[in-house]
Amino acid sequence: MKKASLVIKEIQEGTYNDVLKEVYIDESRIEKQPQRYVAAIEKFISLYGDQEIEIYSTPGRSEVSGNHTDHQHGHVLAAAVNLDFLACVSPNGTQTVHFQSEGWPMTTVDLSDLEQQEAEKETTASLVRGVMAELEKAGYTIGGFDMYAVSNVLPGSGLSSSAACEILLGVAGNHLFCQDELDAVTLAKIGQKAENQYFGKPSGLMDQTASSVGDAVAIDFADP
C-alpha cells in the first residue's frame, strides 16, 4: 500500500503503463486510463484524506453463448470485457464500511450486524453486507474500509455492473482480510450469494464467474 498522493505521482510518471496495457488491451482505451485513475484517487483523497491505498479493477462481462443456461444446468461461454469497476480502497481500523461510487450517495454499512436487512434490498449496502458476511462465514476476521469507485460498466447495459461490483468488493475483502486465499470461483460464489440473498435478485453464476476470472471462460453447470 502507498499514500494516495504518491500513487498519483507514479501514475503521472508512467510507472504503471505496462499494467494498464495488460488490463485494458485496447490502445484507444489505455490512453484515457491515467487521467481516470488520477481523478478517482483525487476524489478518494477529498472524501477520506491522503491515506495509504490499494487499487482494484473488476470487469464487466458479455455472454458469448448460453445466456441463462446457467439457471438450467447447461453450458456457458462468457468473457470479461475491458470496461470495469475501478476502486481506491483503504482499511480504516473500524467495523464500518464507507463506499461511494461516482454519481451515487455515500453508502455506510456497520459490519457488527451482518444479517440480511429487508430495507436494504436492491441497494449497494446489501451487496456490501452480503459479501462481507460471506467472507466472515468462510472463517476470516473482517473489518471496515473506505472505498471510492468509478465505473464505465453502465447499469442496464447487459454487461453486468452488479456482478462487477460484487466481485470488486470480494477482491478487496480477499486481499485486505483473507490473505488472498480465496480463488476466483469462490469469489464468484460469494458474489452470487450476496446478489441472491441480500440484494434479492435471482441470478445464475455466469456473470460473477466471468468477472472474477477476468478472461474467457467455459462453464458446465450440470451440477449446481
Side-chain angles (χ1 to χ4, degrees):
M1 300 182 77
K2 297 180 180 180
K3 274 287 190 77
S5 55
L6 175 58
V7 178
I8 288 176
K9 180 174 181 290
E10 291 180 334
I11 290 171
Q12 292 172 334
E13 292 172 346
T15 302
Y16 304 108
N17 285 355
D18 288 344
V19 175
L20 295 176
K21 290 177 183 178
E22 183 177 346
V23 172
Y24 296 101
I25 303 169
D26 181 355
E27 288 290 341
S28 64
R29 192 166 298 282
I30 294 167
E31 292 175 1
K32 303 173 185 176
Q33 296 308 320
Q35 182 179 354
R36 178 174 177 244
Y37 274 62
V38 167
I41 299 169
E42 288 176 340
K43 181 63 176 179
F44 177 95
I45 292 172
S46 74
L47 291 170
Y48 308 117
D50 190 9
Q51 303 185 56
E52 291 189 344
I53 62 168
E54 294 180 342
I55 297 177
Y56 302 98
S57 164
T58 53
R61 70 93 192 101
S62 179
E63 73 272 6
V64 179
S65 179
N67 193 13
H68 296 301
T69 58
D70 53 347
H71 298 275
Q72 302 162 356
H73 306 264
H75 294 179
V76 171
L77 295 175
V81 298
N82 59 357
L83 301 171
D84 66 336
F85 246 103
L86 166 68
C88 310
V89 185
S90 182
N92 59 29
T94 74
Q95 284 297 300
T96 302
V97 172
H98 302 108
F99 175 88
Q100 183 168 13
S101 184
E102 181 181 32
W104 297 88
M106 177 72 73
T107 293
T108 301
V109 177
D110 181 356
L111 300 179
S112 63
D113 181 4
L114 293 174
E115 295 299 317
Q116 298 176 38
Q117 309 287 326
E118 192 63 32
E120 279 183 354
K121 289 287 180 72
E122 299 186 9
T123 69
T124 302
S126 69
L127 296 180
V128 174
R129 198 181 306 275
V131 169
M132 300 308 291
E134 289 302 317
L135 294 180
E136 186 176 73
K137 288 177 186 176
Y140 296 96
T141 301
I142 61 172
F145 53 88
D146 301 325
M147 176 182 284
Y148 179 74
V150 297
S151 174
N152 51 23
V153 187
L154 297 175
S157 64
L159 298 176
S160 201
S161 61
S162 59
C165 183
E166 292 151 19
I167 299 304
L168 180 71
L169 292 164
V171 168
N174 187 31
H175 190 70
L176 294 175
F177 309 118
C178 310
Q179 298 77 54
D180 289 321
E181 292 177 350
L182 304 179
D183 62 21
V185 174
T186 300
L187 291 175
K189 292 177 179 178
I190 286 172
Q192 183 197 25
K193 286 183 179 178
E195 183 162 326
N196 292 174
Q197 299 172 11
Y198 282 74
F199 190 85
K201 176 184 174 184
S203 72
L205 194 57
M206 175 184 71
D207 297 352
Q208 291 85 358
T209 303
S211 181
S212 186
V213 172
D215 205 333
V217 290
I219 317 167
D220 184 351
F221 286 105
D223 180 359

